[in-house]
Amino acid sequence: MAAPLADRIRPKSLDDIVGQRHLLGEGKALRKIIESGEIPNMVFYGPSGVGKTTLASYIAARTSRKLCKLNGTTAGTADIREVVSGLGGLDTVNGVLLYLDEIQYFNKKQQQTLLEFIENGSITLIASTTENPYFYVYNAILSRSTVFEFKAVEKEEVERAVRRAFCFLEAERNCAYTLEEGVTAHISQACGGDVRKSMNAVELCALSADRQEDGSFLVTLELARELTQRSAVRYDKEGDEHYDLVSAFQKSMRGSDPDAAVYYLARLLEAGDLPSVCRRLMVCACEDVGLAYPQIIPIVKAAVDAALMVGLPEAQLPLADAVILVSTSPKSNTADVAIGRAMADVRAGKTGQIPRCLQNKHYDGADNPVKGQFYLYPHDYPDRWVPQQYLPDVVKDAHYYEYGMNKNEQASKLYWEKIKNGRDKK
């Protein structure tokens, strides 16, 4: 069985590697390190399909090291020891480069096993991960490694790789491919910065193309679209990409940018993540619009209920309505700030006895010298308000809520100032 095109077309020089110019461009630190031949332990961090494995393979070849590949999802401590057991052979004269893909799946004990061998120089470690290494990689490994962040490859760079891939296939298969206008641009755009995915799309297009009368194979734009549909969605519900996307979604609504909010809504829905959309939308309505327009909460709840009832794809309609409404509504986080302050006091242990007038009992023990609950029923007083202590003594002077500078809250402020200040003067 032939290797995938992405493996067969591995670059032979640093300049052949697409993207990562911030790391591999002329004069950049990682390029200088590789050209020096003295390779430190490194962690490559970034999304899949952006050249991490390709670069590790190139480094091993350039420095004549034996390349050993392990994957954190399937390998274990025994596999590491097996790699080390091969040291001293003719093929390891120049050392061993261990490429450990998806290191985040190694537990702490497994990662600790690596320490002995990278400290004594038995192996050079290049670990890769799609998750933030500062959260998932053991500190002792990080302290002995240099972290390099890889980024999604720019569309123009991916398109260069796509053209090169079609040329490679022409030479490999001794045939010609005729590409309709827009084919390479569409593949590079649709694959979302993932070069490996674009290589897979090229190979699928080549295998599916129809032979023409002149013997060439025609790759149509329609065929390219069919074979790359939905492939641009880079999403892992358990990974950093998920949290980045839902964060951008909520922050766009909070920032009152309906265009950005709808865009991130589209990405989440295209990935089928309806629960995250509904949760963040409700949170944003309560947290960020809040008391500036409190009627929005049941409105958004109704939109969320409708979306969950009809399901995708129709769910996009009520959700788009709600997202735009939240984005364009006035904002107030006064309730969020107030509950945050109150929670801080509660967690700090400021939970004194509830004032006697508020307690839910209508009798006094023998030890209480002053009998009676003394609760003042607000509805028995003008304007349905009467001053009395509601907070425990330990926080009786605490002030948690501040009126926001919006029409709704300012109206409430004026209403209560008129009542309370007028009563105080009497």
Side-chain angles (χ1 to χ4, degrees):
M1 182 177 178
L5 176 60
D7 290 331
R8 307 200 306 273
I9 200 175
R10 293 284 186 198
K12 300 297 189 293
S13 72
L14 287 175
D15 292 327
D16 286 340
I17 298 176
V18 296
Q20 315 311 327
R21 293 301 96 191
H22 65 294
L23 299 176
L24 302 175
E26 289 293 340
K28 298 299 182 181
L30 183 53
R31 186 183 185 112
K32 290 181 178 179
I33 290 171
I34 295 170
E35 290 175 341
S36 74
E38 298 294 326
I39 308 302
N41 300 302
M42 295 183 283
V43 176
F44 291 169
Y45 159 49
S48 60
V50 297
K52 301 187 297 293
T53 304
T54 294
L55 184 58
S57 300
Y58 173 81
I59 291 172
R62 180 182 175 89
T63 58
S64 300
R65 286 174 166 82
K66 179 182 179 180
L67 177 64
C68 296
K69 294 182 180 180
L70 295 178
N71 190 293
T73 61
T74 56
T77 303
D79 298 287
I80 297 172
R81 297 192 182 282
E82 183 177 348
V83 169
V84 176
S85 68
L87 293 173
L90 292 177
D91 58 346
T92 63
V93 172
N94 295 311
V96 169
L97 190 153
L98 172 61
Y99 179 66
L100 178 56
D101 196 12
E102 305 291 2
I103 189 176
Q104 73 269 18
Y105 290 106
F106 261 29
N107 60 36
K108 184 177 179 180
K109 183 177 180 180
Q110 290 171 317
Q111 292 188 40
Q112 286 175 324
T113 305
L114 293 167
L115 285 177
E116 174 188 351
F117 305 118
I118 64 176
E119 282 184 332
N120 64 24
S122 300
I123 60 175
T124 298
L125 174 69
I126 296 182
S128 75
T129 176
T130 56
E131 307 293 348
N132 190 326
Y134 298 101
F135 295 157
Y136 291 93
V137 179
Y138 183 44
N139 283 336
I141 297 288
L142 286 177
S143 68
R144 293 161 175 80
S145 308
T146 303
V147 177
F148 292 98
E149 183 177 359
F150 285 58
K151 299 178 180 179
V153 182
E154 299 85 353
K155 173 181 176 294
E156 294 74 20
E157 286 285 295
V158 178
E159 191 166 0
R160 180 164 68 90
V162 169
R163 293 195 188 97
R164 177 169 172 257
F166 275 114
C167 292
F168 178 88
L169 289 175
E170 285 184 330
E172 183 181 65
R173 298 177 180 178
N174 192 28
C175 65
Y177 290 97
T178 302
L179 311 180
E180 275 190 356
E181 181 73 22
V183 166
T184 59
H186 175 77
I187 293 174
S188 59
Q189 178 70 52
C191 291
D194 187 326
V195 180
R196 184 187 301 113
K197 193 174 286 185
S198 71
M199 295 297 98
N200 292 340
V202 167
E203 191 157 34
L204 288 173
C205 286
L207 292 172
S208 306
D210 292 326
R211 184 187 291 272
Q212 305 300 293
E213 292 182 0
D214 62 1
S216 67
F217 291 87
L218 176 64
V219 179
T220 65
L221 183 56
E222 181 182 359
L223 177 63
R225 285 173 175 160
E226 179 183 349
L227 294 174
T228 57
Q229 59 181 334
R230 295 179 64 86
S231 63
V233 180
R234 182 193 297 279
Y235 196 67
D236 177 359
K237 289 185 180 180
E238 301 300 326
D240 287 348
E241 189 73 16
H242 163 76
Y243 296 106
D244 289 346
L245 190 48
V246 293
S247 175
F249 175 55
Q250 184 167 349
K251 288 173 181 173
S252 297
M253 288 189 287
R254 178 185 297 146
S256 302
D257 189 330
D259 296 317
V262 169
Y263 167 75
Y264 291 117
L265 170 66
R267 286 183 58 171
L268 285 161
L269 294 181
E270 187 68 10
D273 195 356
L274 191 57
S276 291
V277 169
C278 293
R279 178 179 180 277
R280 291 290 177 138
L281 185 51
M282 284 302 309
V283 168
C284 199
C286 299
E287 177 184 352
D288 299 308
V289 177
L291 297 176
Y293 179 27
Q295 299 91 331
I296 200 173
I297 297 173
I299 294 173
V300 170
K301 176 62 164 57
V304 166
D305 287 345
L308 294 174
M309 180 179 69
V310 302
L312 290 170
E314 290 83 358
Q316 63 186 328
L317 301 174
L319 291 175
D321 289 337
V323 165
I324 293 172
L325 180 62
V326 169
S327 299
T328 56
S329 292
K331 303 298 190 293
S332 173
N333 71 334
T334 53
D336 178 39
V337 172
I339 187 61
R341 290 170 177 170
M343 292 293 290
D345 274 357
V346 170
R347 288 166 179 163
K350 298 179 181 180
T351 54
Q353 185 176 13
I354 293 172
R356 177 70 182 88
C357 64
L358 303 184
Q359 293 176 13
N360 187 31
K361 58 184 178 181
H362 304 286
Y363 64 90
D364 294 287
D367 59 336
N368 189 352
V370 182
K371 308 299 183 184
Q373 185 168 9
F374 309 109
Y375 173 59
L376 303 179
Y377 187 55
H379 293 289
D380 289 340
Y381 296 84
D383 302 312
R384 306 294 190 265
W385 180 80
V386 62
Q388 64 183 320
Q389 181 178 334
Y390 288 94
L391 284 169
D393 287 341
V394 68
V395 288
K396 69 178 182 178
D397 296 321
H399 189 55
Y400 300 118
Y401 173 66
E402 298 284 352
Y403 287 99
M405 297 303 294
N406 57 77
K407 182 178 179 180
N408 189 72
E409 289 182 270
Q410 284 300 301
S412 296
K413 179 182 180 183
L414 291 173
Y415 174 80
W416 285 110
E417 281 181 347
K418 181 179 178 181
I419 292 174
K420 294 181 180 181
N421 291 343
R423 191 72 57 80
D424 290 342
K425 293 176 182 177
K426 294 180 180 179

mmCIF file with all atom_site columns, all heavy atoms in Angstrom, residues 297-321:
data_model
loop_
_atom_site.group_PDB
_atom_site.id
_atom_site.type_symbol
_atom_site.label_atom_id
_atom_site.label_alt_id
_atom_site.label_comp_id
_atom_site.label_asym_id
_atom_site.label_entity_id
_atom_site.label_seq_id
_atom_site.pdbx_PDB_ins_code
_atom_site.Cartn_x
_atom_site.Cartn_y
_atom_site.Cartn_z
_atom_site.occupancy
_atom_site.B_iso_or_equiv
_atom_site.pdbx_formal_charge
_atom_site.auth_seq_id
_atom_site.auth_comp_id
_atom_site.auth_asym_id
_atom_site.auth_atom_id
_atom_site.pdbx_PDB_model_num
ATOM 1   N N   . ILE A 1 297 ? -33.334 38.083 28.579 1.00 0.00 ? 297 ILE A N   1
ATOM 2   C CA  . ILE A 1 297 ? -33.076 36.734 29.091 1.00 0.00 ? 297 ILE A CA  1
ATOM 3   C C   . ILE A 1 297 ? -34.163 35.751 28.667 1.00 0.00 ? 297 ILE A C   1
ATOM 4   O O   . ILE A 1 297 ? -33.847 34.697 28.087 1.00 0.00 ? 297 ILE A O   1
ATOM 5   C CB  . ILE A 1 297 ? -32.875 36.771 30.619 1.00 0.00 ? 297 ILE A CB  1
ATOM 6   C CG1 . ILE A 1 297 ? -31.632 37.615 30.951 1.00 0.00 ? 297 ILE A CG1 1
ATOM 7   C CG2 . ILE A 1 297 ? -32.723 35.354 31.174 1.00 0.00 ? 297 ILE A CG2 1
ATOM 8   C CD1 . ILE A 1 297 ? -31.433 37.862 32.434 1.00 0.00 ? 297 ILE A CD1 1
ATOM 9   N N   . PRO A 1 298 ? -35.440 36.042 28.882 1.00 0.00 ? 298 PRO A N   1
ATOM 10  C CA  . PRO A 1 298 ? -36.454 35.096 28.372 1.00 0.00 ? 298 PRO A CA  1
ATOM 11  C C   . PRO A 1 298 ? -36.508 35.042 26.852 1.00 0.00 ? 298 PRO A C   1
ATOM 12  O O   . PRO A 1 298 ? -36.865 34.002 26.285 1.00 0.00 ? 298 PRO A O   1
ATOM 13  C CB  . PRO A 1 298 ? -37.764 35.638 28.963 1.00 0.00 ? 298 PRO A CB  1
ATOM 14  C CG  . PRO A 1 298 ? -37.497 37.067 29.292 1.00 0.00 ? 298 PRO A CG  1
ATOM 15  C CD  . PRO A 1 298 ? -36.058 37.111 29.693 1.00 0.00 ? 298 PRO A CD  1
ATOM 16  N N   . ILE A 1 299 ? -36.155 36.132 26.182 1.00 0.00 ? 299 ILE A N   1
ATOM 17  C CA  . ILE A 1 299 ? -36.148 36.117 24.715 1.00 0.00 ? 299 ILE A CA  1
ATOM 18  C C   . ILE A 1 299 ? -35.089 35.144 24.203 1.00 0.00 ? 299 ILE A C   1
ATOM 19  O O   . ILE A 1 299 ? -35.353 34.297 23.327 1.00 0.00 ? 299 ILE A O   1
ATOM 20  C CB  . ILE A 1 299 ? -35.904 37.537 24.157 1.00 0.00 ? 299 ILE A CB  1
ATOM 21  C CG1 . ILE A 1 299 ? -37.077 38.452 24.496 1.00 0.00 ? 299 ILE A CG1 1
ATOM 22  C CG2 . ILE A 1 299 ? -35.683 37.486 22.647 1.00 0.00 ? 299 ILE A CG2 1
ATOM 23  C CD1 . ILE A 1 299 ? -36.844 39.913 24.138 1.00 0.00 ? 299 ILE A CD1 1
ATOM 24  N N   . VAL A 1 300 ? -33.889 35.255 24.750 1.00 0.00 ? 300 VAL A N   1
ATOM 25  C CA  . VAL A 1 300 ? -32.809 34.354 24.337 1.00 0.00 ? 300 VAL A CA  1
ATOM 26  C C   . VAL A 1 300 ? -33.125 32.921 24.743 1.00 0.00 ? 300 VAL A C   1
ATOM 27  O O   . VAL A 1 300 ? -32.847 31.976 23.991 1.00 0.00 ? 300 VAL A O   1
ATOM 28  C CB  . VAL A 1 300 ? -31.465 34.828 24.935 1.00 0.00 ? 300 VAL A CB  1
ATOM 29  C CG1 . VAL A 1 300 ? -30.379 33.771 24.729 1.00 0.00 ? 300 VAL A CG1 1
ATOM 30  C CG2 . VAL A 1 300 ? -31.036 36.142 24.298 1.00 0.00 ? 300 VAL A CG2 1
ATOM 31  N N   . LYS A 1 301 ? -33.711 32.753 25.914 1.00 0.00 ? 301 LYS A N   1
ATOM 32  C CA  . LYS A 1 301 ? -34.098 31.393 26.344 1.00 0.00 ? 301 LYS A CA  1
ATOM 33  C C   . LYS A 1 301 ? -35.079 30.780 25.353 1.00 0.00 ? 301 LYS A C   1
ATOM 34  O O   . LYS A 1 301 ? -34.970 29.590 24.998 1.00 0.00 ? 301 LYS A O   1
ATOM 35  C CB  . LYS A 1 301 ? -34.724 31.459 27.739 1.00 0.00 ? 301 LYS A CB  1
ATOM 36  C CG  . LYS A 1 301 ? -35.270 30.129 28.264 1.00 0.00 ? 301 LYS A CG  1
ATOM 37  C CD  . LYS A 1 301 ? -34.164 29.080 28.412 1.00 0.00 ? 301 LYS A CD  1
ATOM 38  C CE  . LYS A 1 301 ? -34.589 27.902 29.268 1.00 0.00 ? 301 LYS A CE  1
ATOM 39  N NZ  . LYS A 1 301 ? -35.789 27.213 28.789 1.00 0.00 ? 301 LYS A NZ  1
ATOM 40  N N   . ALA A 1 302 ? -36.028 31.580 24.872 1.00 0.00 ? 302 ALA A N   1
ATOM 41  C CA  . ALA A 1 302 ? -36.991 31.068 23.890 1.00 0.00 ? 302 ALA A CA  1
ATOM 42  C C   . ALA A 1 302 ? -36.292 30.691 22.591 1.00 0.00 ? 302 ALA A C   1
ATOM 43  O O   . ALA A 1 302 ? -36.622 29.670 21.959 1.00 0.00 ? 302 ALA A O   1
ATOM 44  C CB  . ALA A 1 302 ? -38.069 32.119 23.630 1.00 0.00 ? 302 ALA A CB  1
ATOM 45  N N   . ALA A 1 303 ? -35.321 31.489 22.164 1.00 0.00 ? 303 ALA A N   1
ATOM 46  C CA  . ALA A 1 303 ? -34.576 31.182 20.941 1.00 0.00 ? 303 ALA A CA  1
ATOM 47  C C   . ALA A 1 303 ? -33.766 29.898 21.099 1.00 0.00 ? 303 ALA A C   1
ATOM 48  O O   . ALA A 1 303 ? -33.704 29.063 20.188 1.00 0.00 ? 303 ALA A O   1
ATOM 49  C CB  . ALA A 1 303 ? -33.653 32.347 20.576 1.00 0.00 ? 303 ALA A CB  1
ATOM 50  N N   . VAL A 1 304 ? -33.132 29.740 22.264 1.00 0.00 ? 304 VAL A N   1
ATOM 51  C CA  . VAL A 1 304 ? -32.364 28.520 22.545 1.00 0.00 ? 304 VAL A CA  1
ATOM 52  C C   . VAL A 1 304 ? -33.288 27.299 22.559 1.00 0.00 ? 304 VAL A C   1
ATOM 53  O O   . VAL A 1 304 ? -32.953 26.253 21.992 1.00 0.00 ? 304 VAL A O   1
ATOM 54  C CB  . VAL A 1 304 ? -31.609 28.664 23.880 1.00 0.00 ? 304 VAL A CB  1
ATOM 55  C CG1 . VAL A 1 304 ? -31.097 27.310 24.363 1.00 0.00 ? 304 VAL A CG1 1
ATOM 56  C CG2 . VAL A 1 304 ? -30.455 29.642 23.733 1.00 0.00 ? 304 VAL A CG2 1
ATOM 57  N N   . ASP A 1 305 ? -34.446 27.412 23.203 1.00 0.00 ? 305 ASP A N   1
ATOM 58  C CA  . ASP A 1 305 ? -35.398 26.293 23.237 1.00 0.00 ? 305 ASP A CA  1
ATOM 59  C C   . ASP A 1 305 ? -35.845 25.919 21.826 1.00 0.00 ? 305 ASP A C   1
ATOM 60  O O   . ASP A 1 305 ? -35.949 24.733 21.483 1.00 0.00 ? 305 ASP A O   1
ATOM 61  C CB  . ASP A 1 305 ? -36.616 26.668 24.082 1.00 0.00 ? 305 ASP A CB  1
ATOM 62  C CG  . ASP A 1 305 ? -36.297 26.702 25.567 1.00 0.00 ? 305 ASP A CG  1
ATOM 63  O OD1 . ASP A 1 305 ? -35.238 26.174 25.948 1.00 0.00 ? 305 ASP A OD1 1
ATOM 64  O OD2 . ASP A 1 305 ? -37.104 27.264 26.330 1.00 0.00 ? 305 ASP A OD2 1
ATOM 65  N N   . ALA A 1 306 ? -36.093 26.945 21.002 1.00 0.00 ? 306 ALA A N   1
ATOM 66  C CA  . ALA A 1 306 ? -36.513 26.674 19.627 1.00 0.00 ? 306 ALA A CA  1
ATOM 67  C C   . ALA A 1 306 ? -35.410 25.975 18.850 1.00 0.00 ? 306 ALA A C   1
ATOM 68  O O   . ALA A 1 306 ? -35.661 25.031 18.086 1.00 0.00 ? 306 ALA A O   1
ATOM 69  C CB  . ALA A 1 306 ? -36.890 27.987 18.938 1.00 0.00 ? 306 ALA A CB  1
ATOM 70  N N   . ALA A 1 307 ? -34.171 26.419 19.052 1.00 0.00 ? 307 ALA A N   1
ATOM 71  C CA  . ALA A 1 307 ? -33.044 25.801 18.352 1.00 0.00 ? 307 ALA A CA  1
ATOM 72  C C   . ALA A 1 307 ? -32.882 24.340 18.738 1.00 0.00 ? 307 ALA A C   1
ATOM 73  O O   . ALA A 1 307 ? -32.661 23.470 17.883 1.00 0.00 ? 307 ALA A O   1
ATOM 74  C CB  . ALA A 1 307 ? -31.761 26.584 18.656 1.00 0.00 ? 307 ALA A CB  1
ATOM 75  N N   . LEU A 1 308 ? -32.988 24.060 20.027 1.00 0.00 ? 308 LEU A N   1
ATOM 76  C CA  . LEU A 1 308 ? -32.843 22.683 20.490 1.00 0.00 ? 308 LEU A CA  1
ATOM 77  C C   . LEU A 1 308 ? -34.016 21.814 20.035 1.00 0.00 ? 308 LEU A C   1
ATOM 78  O O   . LEU A 1 308 ? -33.861 20.605 19.829 1.00 0.00 ? 308 LEU A O   1
ATOM 79  C CB  . LEU A 1 308 ? -32.721 22.658 22.017 1.00 0.00 ? 308 LEU A CB  1
ATOM 80  C CG  . LEU A 1 308 ? -31.457 23.307 22.591 1.00 0.00 ? 308 LEU A CG  1
ATOM 81  C CD1 . LEU A 1 308 ? -31.523 23.347 24.118 1.00 0.00 ? 308 LEU A CD1 1
ATOM 82  C CD2 . LEU A 1 308 ? -30.207 22.570 22.141 1.00 0.00 ? 308 LEU A CD2 1
ATOM 83  N N   . MET A 1 309 ? -35.173 22.436 19.856 1.00 0.00 ? 309 MET A N   1
ATOM 84  C CA  . MET A 1 309 ? -36.352 21.681 19.426 1.00 0.00 ? 309 MET A CA  1
ATOM 85  C C   . MET A 1 309 ? -36.248 21.297 17.952 1.00 0.00 ? 309 MET A C   1
ATOM 86  O O   . MET A 1 309 ? -36.515 20.148 17.582 1.00 0.00 ? 309 MET A O   1
ATOM 87  C CB  . MET A 1 309 ? -37.620 22.502 19.656 1.00 0.00 ? 309 MET A CB  1
ATOM 88  C CG  . MET A 1 309 ? -38.902 21.780 19.238 1.00 0.00 ? 309 MET A CG  1
ATOM 89  S SD  . MET A 1 309 ? -40.385 22.758 19.545 1.00 0.00 ? 309 MET A SD  1
ATOM 90  C CE  . MET A 1 309 ? -40.165 24.056 18.318 1.00 0.00 ? 309 MET A CE  1
ATOM 91  N N   . VAL A 1 310 ? -35.835 22.238 17.099 1.00 0.00 ? 310 VAL A N   1
ATOM 92  C CA  . VAL A 1 310 ? -35.809 21.948 15.667 1.00 0.00 ? 310 VAL A CA  1
ATOM 93  C C   . VAL A 1 310 ? -34.510 21.298 15.226 1.00 0.00 ? 310 VAL A C   1
ATOM 94  O O   . VAL A 1 310 ? -34.457 20.602 14.218 1.00 0.00 ? 310 VAL A O   1
ATOM 95  C CB  . VAL A 1 310 ? -36.069 23.224 14.835 1.00 0.00 ? 310 VAL A CB  1
ATOM 96  C CG1 . VAL A 1 310 ? -37.391 23.845 15.193 1.00 0.00 ? 310 VAL A CG1 1
ATOM 97  C CG2 . VAL A 1 310 ? -34.942 24.253 15.015 1.00 0.00 ? 310 VAL A CG2 1
ATOM 98  N N   . GLY A 1 311 ? -33.416 21.518 15.993 1.00 0.00 ? 311 GLY A N   1
ATOM 99  C CA  . GLY A 1 311 ? -32.129 20.926 15.628 1.00 0.00 ? 311 GLY A CA  1
ATOM 100 C C   . GLY A 1 311 ? -31.506 21.586 14.414 1.00 0.00 ? 311 GLY A C   1
ATOM 101 O O   . GLY A 1 311 ? -32.093 22.471 13.782 1.00 0.00 ? 311 GLY A O   1
ATOM 102 N N   . LEU A 1 312 ? -30.301 21.148 14.100 1.00 0.00 ? 312 LEU A N   1
ATOM 103 C CA  . LEU A 1 312 ? -29.592 21.680 12.937 1.00 0.00 ? 312 LEU A CA  1
ATOM 104 C C   . LEU A 1 312 ? -30.127 21.027 11.665 1.00 0.00 ? 312 LEU A C   1
ATOM 105 O O   . LEU A 1 312 ? -30.527 19.869 11.683 1.00 0.00 ? 312 LEU A O   1
ATOM 106 C CB  . LEU A 1 312 ? -28.087 21.414 13.077 1.00 0.00 ? 312 LEU A CB  1
ATOM 107 C CG  . LEU A 1 312 ? -27.392 22.240 14.167 1.00 0.00 ? 312 LEU A CG  1
ATOM 108 C CD1 . LEU A 1 312 ? -25.973 21.729 14.387 1.00 0.00 ? 312 LEU A CD1 1
ATOM 109 C CD2 . LEU A 1 312 ? -27.358 23.712 13.786 1.00 0.00 ? 312 LEU A CD2 1
ATOM 110 N N   . PRO A 1 313 ? -30.163 21.742 10.525 1.00 0.00 ? 313 PRO A N   1
ATOM 111 C CA  . PRO A 1 313 ? -29.594 23.079 10.325 1.00 0.00 ? 313 PRO A CA  1
ATOM 112 C C   . PRO A 1 313 ? -30.528 24.232 10.662 1.00 0.00 ? 313 PRO A C   1
ATOM 113 O O   . PRO A 1 313 ? -30.105 25.369 10.745 1.00 0.00 ? 313 PRO A O   1
ATOM 114 C CB  . PRO A 1 313 ? -29.279 23.072 8.831  1.00 0.00 ? 313 PRO A CB  1
ATOM 115 C CG  . PRO A 1 313 ? -30.358 22.217 8.244  1.00 0.00 ? 313 PRO A CG  1
ATOM 116 C CD  . PRO A 1 313 ? -30.606 21.130 9.254  1.00 0.00 ? 313 PRO A CD  1
ATOM 117 N N   . GLU A 1 314 ? -31.837 23.960 10.856 1.00 0.00 ? 314 GLU A N   1
ATOM 118 C CA  . GLU A 1 314 ? -32.782 25.051 11.074 1.00 0.00 ? 314 GLU A CA  1
ATOM 119 C C   . GLU A 1 314 ? -32.492 25.838 12.342 1.00 0.00 ? 314 GLU A C   1
ATOM 120 O O   . GLU A 1 314 ? -32.877 27.003 12.471 1.00 0.00 ? 314 GLU A O   1
ATOM 121 C CB  . GLU A 1 314 ? -34.210 24.505 11.134 1.00 0.00 ? 314 GLU A CB  1
ATOM 122 C CG  . GLU A 1 314 ? -34.760 24.005 9.812  1.00 0.00 ? 314 GLU A CG  1
ATOM 123 C CD  . GLU A 1 314 ? -34.326 22.572 9.491  1.00 0.00 ? 314 GLU A CD  1
ATOM 124 O OE1 . GLU A 1 314 ? -33.563 21.989 10.297 1.00 0.00 ? 314 GLU A OE1 1
ATOM 125 O OE2 . GLU A 1 314 ? -34.748 22.047 8.445  1.00 0.00 ? 314 GLU A OE2 1
ATOM 126 N N   . ALA A 1 315 ? -31.784 25.214 13.297 1.00 0.00 ? 315 ALA A N   1
ATOM 127 C CA  . ALA A 1 315 ? -31.462 25.904 14.546 1.00 0.00 ? 315 ALA A CA  1
ATOM 128 C C   . ALA A 1 315 ? -30.676 27.183 14.320 1.00 0.00 ? 315 ALA A C   1
ATOM 129 O O   . ALA A 1 315 ? -30.666 28.083 15.177 1.00 0.00 ? 315 ALA A O   1
ATOM 130 C CB  . ALA A 1 315 ? -30.674 24.971 15.458 1.00 0.00 ? 315 ALA A CB  1
ATOM 131 N N   . GLN A 1 316 ? -30.017 27.278 13.168 1.00 0.00 ? 316 GLN A N   1
ATOM 132 C CA  . GLN A 1 316 ? -29.218 28.472 12.912 1.00 0.00 ? 316 GLN A CA  1
ATOM 133 C C   . GLN A 1 316 ? -30.078 29.743 12.864 1.00 0.00 ? 316 GLN A C   1
ATOM 134 O O   . GLN A 1 316 ? -29.582 30.838 13.139 1.00 0.00 ? 316 GLN A O   1
ATOM 135 C CB  . GLN A 1 316 ? -28.454 28.326 11.593 1.00 0.00 ? 316 GLN A CB  1
ATOM 136 C CG  . GLN A 1 316 ? -29.327 28.209 10.362 1.00 0.00 ? 316 GLN A CG  1
ATOM 137 C CD  . GLN A 1 316 ? -28.526 27.929 9.117  1.00 0.00 ? 316 GLN A CD  1
ATOM 138 O OE1 . GLN A 1 316 ? -27.390 28.371 8.987  1.00 0.00 ? 316 GLN A OE1 1
ATOM 139 N NE2 . GLN A 1 316 ? -29.098 27.181 8.187  1.00 0.00 ? 316 GLN A NE2 1
ATOM 140 N N   . LEU A 1 317 ? -31.363 29.611 12.546 1.00 0.00 ? 317 LEU A N   1
ATOM 141 C CA  . LEU A 1 317 ? -32.221 30.793 12.397 1.00 0.00 ? 317 LEU A CA  1
ATOM 142 C C   . LEU A 1 317 ? -32.526 31.465 13.736 1.00 0.00 ? 317 LEU A C   1
ATOM 143 O O   . LEU A 1 317 ? -32.232 32.652 13.915 1.00 0.00 ? 317 LEU A O   1
ATOM 144 C CB  . LEU A 1 317 ? -33.499 30.416 11.651 1.00 0.00 ? 317 LEU A CB  1
ATOM 145 C CG  . LEU A 1 317 ? -33.277 29.837 10.240 1.00 0.00 ? 317 LEU A CG  1
ATOM 146 C CD1 . LEU A 1 317 ? -34.589 29.370 9.650  1.00 0.00 ? 317 LEU A CD1 1
ATOM 147 C CD2 . LEU A 1 317 ? -32.621 30.882 9.344  1.00 0.00 ? 317 LEU A CD2 1
ATOM 148 N N   . PRO A 1 318 ? -33.130 30.761 14.718 1.00 0.00 ? 318 PRO A N   1
ATOM 149 C CA  . PRO A 1 318 ? -33.355 31.426 16.007 1.00 0.00 ? 318 PRO A CA  1
ATOM 150 C C   . PRO A 1 318 ? -32.058 31.815 16.700 1.00 0.00 ? 318 PRO A C   1
ATOM 151 O O   . PRO A 1 318 ? -32.010 32.833 17.406 1.00 0.00 ? 318 PRO A O   1
ATOM 152 C CB  . PRO A 1 318 ? -34.144 30.389 16.818 1.00 0.00 ? 318 PRO A CB  1
ATOM 153 C CG  . PRO A 1 318 ? -33.858 29.080 16.164 1.00 0.00 ? 318 PRO A CG  1
ATOM 154 C CD  . PRO A 1 318 ? -33.675 29.392 14.711 1.00 0.00 ? 318 PRO A CD  1
ATOM 155 N N   . LEU A 1 319 ? -31.005 31.027 16.495 1.00 0.00 ? 319 LEU A N   1
ATOM 156 C CA  . LEU A 1 319 ? -29.736 31.361 17.135 1.00 0.00 ? 319 LEU A CA  1
ATOM 157 C C   . LEU A 1 319 ? -29.124 32.625 16.538 1.00 0.00 ? 319 LEU A C   1
ATOM 158 O O   . LEU A 1 319 ? -28.568 33.460 17.264 1.00 0.00 ? 319 LEU A O   1
ATOM 159 C CB  . LEU A 1 319 ? -28.761 30.184 17.018 1.00 0.00 ? 319 LEU A CB  1
ATOM 160 C CG  . LEU A 1 319 ? -29.139 28.951 17.833 1.00 0.00 ? 319 LEU A CG  1
ATOM 161 C CD1 . LEU A 1 319 ? -28.164 27.810 17.549 1.00 0.00 ? 319 LEU A CD1 1
ATOM 162 C CD2 . LEU A 1 319 ? -29.171 29.267 19.330 1.00 0.00 ? 319 LEU A CD2 1
ATOM 163 N N   . ALA A 1 320 ? -29.211 32.775 15.230 1.00 0.00 ? 320 ALA A N   1
ATOM 164 C CA  . ALA A 1 320 ? -28.703 33.996 14.603 1.00 0.00 ? 320 ALA A CA  1
ATOM 165 C C   . ALA A 1 320 ? -29.479 35.208 15.099 1.00 0.00 ? 320 ALA A C   1
ATOM 166 O O   . ALA A 1 320 ? -28.897 36.273 15.380 1.00 0.00 ? 320 ALA A O   1
ATOM 167 C CB  . ALA A 1 320 ? -28.789 33.889 13.081 1.00 0.00 ? 320 ALA A CB  1
ATOM 168 N N   . ASP A 1 321 ? -30.816 35.065 15.219 1.00 0.00 ? 321 ASP A N   1
ATOM 169 C CA  . ASP A 1 321 ? -31.624 36.155 15.772 1.00 0.00 ? 321 ASP A CA  1
ATOM 170 C C   . ASP A 1 321 ? -31.113 36.553 17.153 1.00 0.00 ? 321 ASP A C   1
ATOM 171 O O   . ASP A 1 321 ? -30.923 37.735 17.459 1.00 0.00 ? 321 ASP A O   1
ATOM 172 C CB  . ASP A 1 321 ? -33.091 35.721 15.886 1.00 0.00 ? 321 ASP A CB  1
ATOM 173 C CG  . ASP A 1 321 ? -33.775 35.590 14.535 1.00 0.00 ? 321 ASP A CG  1
ATOM 174 O OD1 . ASP A 1 321 ? -33.299 36.218 13.568 1.00 0.00 ? 321 ASP A OD1 1
ATOM 175 O OD2 . ASP A 1 321 ? -34.782 34.870 14.452 1.00 0.00 ? 321 ASP A OD2 1
#
